[in-house]
Amino acid sequence: MSIEAGTLFVVAAPSGAGKSTLVNALLERERAISLSVSHTTRPPRPGEQYGRHYYFVERTEFEREIAEGVFLEHAEVHGNLYGTSRATVQELLAQGRDVLLEIDWQGAQQIRRSKPDCVGIFILPPSRAELERRLRGRGSDSVEVIERRLLNSRGEIAHASQFDYILVNDVFDDALADLQAIVRAVRLRSALQWQRHESLINELLAP
Ligand SMILES: Nc1nc2c(ncn2[C@@H]2O[C@H](COP(=O)(O)OP(=O)(O)O)[C@@H](O)[C@H]2O)c(=O)[nH]1
Ligand SMILES: Nc1ncnc2c1ncn2[C@@H]1O[C@H](COP(=O)(O)OP(=O)(O)O)[C@@H](O)[C@H]1O
């Protein structure tokens, strides 16, 4: 990672754990972080907007983009294809912006290989019953889609240990505080601070 480059945060969780809600609240508070909007073949949910929630594309177009190397990572999740635009992420990082990816464990593994300095954060629900309650309560998916997501949640959670941080989204404000604390602690890492505060450090070290 070059000196000016921003930090890449990778956030994963089983569907319904509250990942998007937490990330949106974090972005309200931490304006220096940009969310990478993914491409997907999943149909939009009511209220979802092209370019804001996802770039919704047909499977043939997505497959063409895979072949063209458009994606930094991509994966099939719950029967749909999802991918992160390489160009968008590289540009933002090069500008020194921090970038956050909301992706699944397969994508996180691919990112870890190409960007070993990324910071992985995994969000757990407080219980299976609560995960199911949240998925059904969201009211955005059919019964079949919810069942599939519940079934796949074990596969997602089985990879939690591969992330740098794990937090439990029980009481929302506590989980948000944890997420913000992680982001802030990462920003305060000495390698980054040494670059940012070089002139201060030199002044303090001056005889
Ligand atoms: N690998 C990968 N996974 C993604 C990407 N975008 C979203 N996902 C994951 O796909 C899964 C389903 O996302 P979505 O359809 O929005 O449903 P939700 O998680 O229930 O809100 C979640 O685990 C997302 O994190 C992406 O660009 N790449
Ligand atoms: N801490 C929490 N307590 C109760 N409900 C929550 C909490 N966090 C999120 N939710 C709700 O759970 C549902 C799923 O959240 P969402 O952010 O869509 O999950 P994900 O992005 O992980 O699939 C939403 O209706 C959301 O308002």
Side-chain angles (χ1 to χ4, degrees), residues 13-24 45 102 123 126 130-131 133-135 137-140 149 169-173 175:
S15 182
K19 165 173 42 70
S20 297
T21 314
L22 275 173
V23 163
N24 289 337
R45 294 173 180 146
E102 242 192 273
I123 299 168
E130 178 61 14
L131 182 67
R133 230 183 336 266
R134 286 183 193 171
L135 268 177
R138 187 165 67 180
S140 60
R149 279 156 199 263
N169 180 21
D170 186 358
V171 176
F172 185 83
D173 287 347

Side-chain angles (χ1 to χ4, degrees), residues 4-168:
E4 289 82 18
T7 300
L8 185 59
F9 293 95
V10 177
V11 178
S15 182
K19 165 173 42 70
S20 297
T21 314
L22 275 173
V23 163
N24 289 337
L26 175 76
L27 297 179
E28 285 284 312
R29 294 173 172 217
E30 298 287 338
R31 295 291 182 170
I33 303 178
S34 300
L35 180 68
S36 160
V37 177
S38 297
H39 294 220
T40 185
T41 61
R42 167 168 79 64
R45 294 173 180 146
E48 281 187 331
Q49 291 163 14
Y50 181 90
R52 190 158 103 80
H53 298 92
Y54 282 104
Y55 295 104
F56 298 98
V57 297
E58 296 295 326
R59 186 169 271 261
T60 46
E61 187 183 342
F62 197 106
E63 285 167 349
R64 182 177 51 74
E65 289 178 332
I66 293 175
E68 288 170 352
V70 163
F71 299 118
L72 188 58
E73 64 73 33
H74 66 273
E76 179 137 9
V77 191
H78 314 311
N80 302 300
L81 292 168
Y82 295 83
T84 303
S85 158
R86 184 189 306 276
T88 308
V89 171
Q90 306 282 39
E91 271 166 36
L92 288 165
L93 288 177
Q95 288 164 16
R97 298 275 306 174
D98 291 343
V99 179
L100 190 149
L101 309 181
E102 242 192 273
I103 61 177
D104 86 314
W105 69 269
Q106 304 171 86
Q109 277 191 349
Q110 295 169 44
I111 295 286
R112 178 68 74 187
R113 281 196 286 273
S114 62
K115 305 221 177 266
D117 290 343
C118 71
V119 177
I121 305 168
F122 198 92
I123 299 168
L124 291 172
S127 65
R128 288 205 67 78
E130 178 61 14
L131 182 67
E132 186 164 349
R133 230 183 336 266
R134 286 183 193 171
L135 268 177
R136 296 194 194 285
R138 187 165 67 180
S140 60
D141 300 306
S142 66
V143 173
E144 298 76 46
V145 166
I146 290 173
E147 294 299 336
R148 182 161 196 181
R149 279 156 199 263
L150 276 174
L151 210 65
N152 291 346
S153 67
R154 284 194 174 82
E156 191 72 35
I157 292 167
H159 293 86
S161 66
Q162 296 171 0
F163 290 72
D164 301 298
Y165 299 91
I166 298 179
L167 61 90
V168 179

